[in-house]
Amino acid sequence: MKFSKLIAAAAFLFMLIPAVAAQDTKPKVEDLGWLAGCWEMNVPERKMTVTESWMKPAAGTLIGMGRTIVGDKTVSYEFLRIVSGADGIDYIAKPSQSSSETAFRLIKGSDAEAVFENLKHDFPQRIIYRKPNADSLFARIEGMRNGELRGMDIPMKRVKCD
């Protein structure tokens, strides 16, 4: 009798394992810690430099900023946050040309890729980050414009944070 109760208890515990494992697979902002650091793309023929800097994740938040310089003038900048909310993870951007923020929901994330999407936004509708290796970060913005998929690739290299 005791043996059958032990078997029943073990079977019950094994049934709980998938439920517990599924809870652990929910994405966390800390899973995107590979974005942390300072990144730069130079386009010498256009005298353009694009930089992004991301703080390491803490308390469910990654904080970043971006800047585009052409010649000796800052032509745009952006304040960025990746935050954990009740419904998932959001990438929140506040560009210099806008008085408001726009949120993009994480729809795909791994240890080397993050895809954020907001289909209601004019452009972009998707923000994609990929990290092919420790010293490279590939960013892409894309979306529909005039019925066509348009995008811009931003391949960056790791640089020293000043």
Side-chain angles (χ1 to χ4, degrees):
M1 195 72 160
K2 288 183 183 179
F3 183 71
S4 63
K5 285 184 181 179
L6 183 62
I7 297 281
F12 177 73
L13 288 175
F14 279 116
M15 288 179 359
L16 289 178
I17 289 173
V20 172
Q23 291 173 356
D24 291 341
T25 60
K26 183 178 178 186
K28 296 180 264 230
V29 169
E30 288 74 15
D31 297 336
L32 302 175
W34 51 267
L35 279 170
C38 296
W39 307 95
E40 186 173 278
M41 176 184 79
N42 287 301
V43 185
E45 60 275 7
R46 293 183 59 201
K47 298 181 182 178
M48 181 172 76
T49 302
V50 176
T51 60
E52 270 193 33
S53 301
W54 288 94
M55 298 171 72
K56 67 182 181 177
T61 306
L62 260 163
I63 296 176
M65 60 185 163
R67 175 174 58 188
T68 300
I69 298 171
V70 176
D72 61 354
K73 183 177 179 182
T74 298
V75 295
S76 67
Y77 59 87
E78 192 166 26
F79 298 111
L80 308 164
R81 290 178 290 148
I82 298 176
V83 298
S84 184
D87 297 330
I89 295 175
D90 289 324
Y91 177 105
I92 302 169
K94 184 176 185 315
S96 56
Q97 302 89 353
S98 176
S99 60
S100 62
E101 298 179 328
T102 302
F104 298 80
R105 176 58 46 98
L106 179 71
I107 61 166
K108 181 180 178 188
S110 71
D111 61 353
E113 181 180 47
V115 179
F116 301 91
E117 187 175 77
N118 178 343
L119 297 177
K120 294 179 181 174
H121 190 250
D122 56 355
F123 187 88
Q125 284 102 33
R126 265 176 306 290
I127 300 168
I128 302 163
Y129 286 96
R130 291 187 184 105
K131 189 169 180 198
N133 60 56
D135 293 324
S136 298
L137 183 67
F138 175 84
R140 177 173 172 80
I141 59 171
E142 65 181 29
M144 299 302 287
R145 271 203 174 155
N146 301 324
E148 285 186 45
L149 180 63
R150 307 253 180 169
M152 179 171 52
D153 295 332
I154 308 162
M156 295 178 276
K157 297 289 182 192
R158 185 180 294 280
V159 294
K160 183 179 176 193
C161 295
D162 294 327

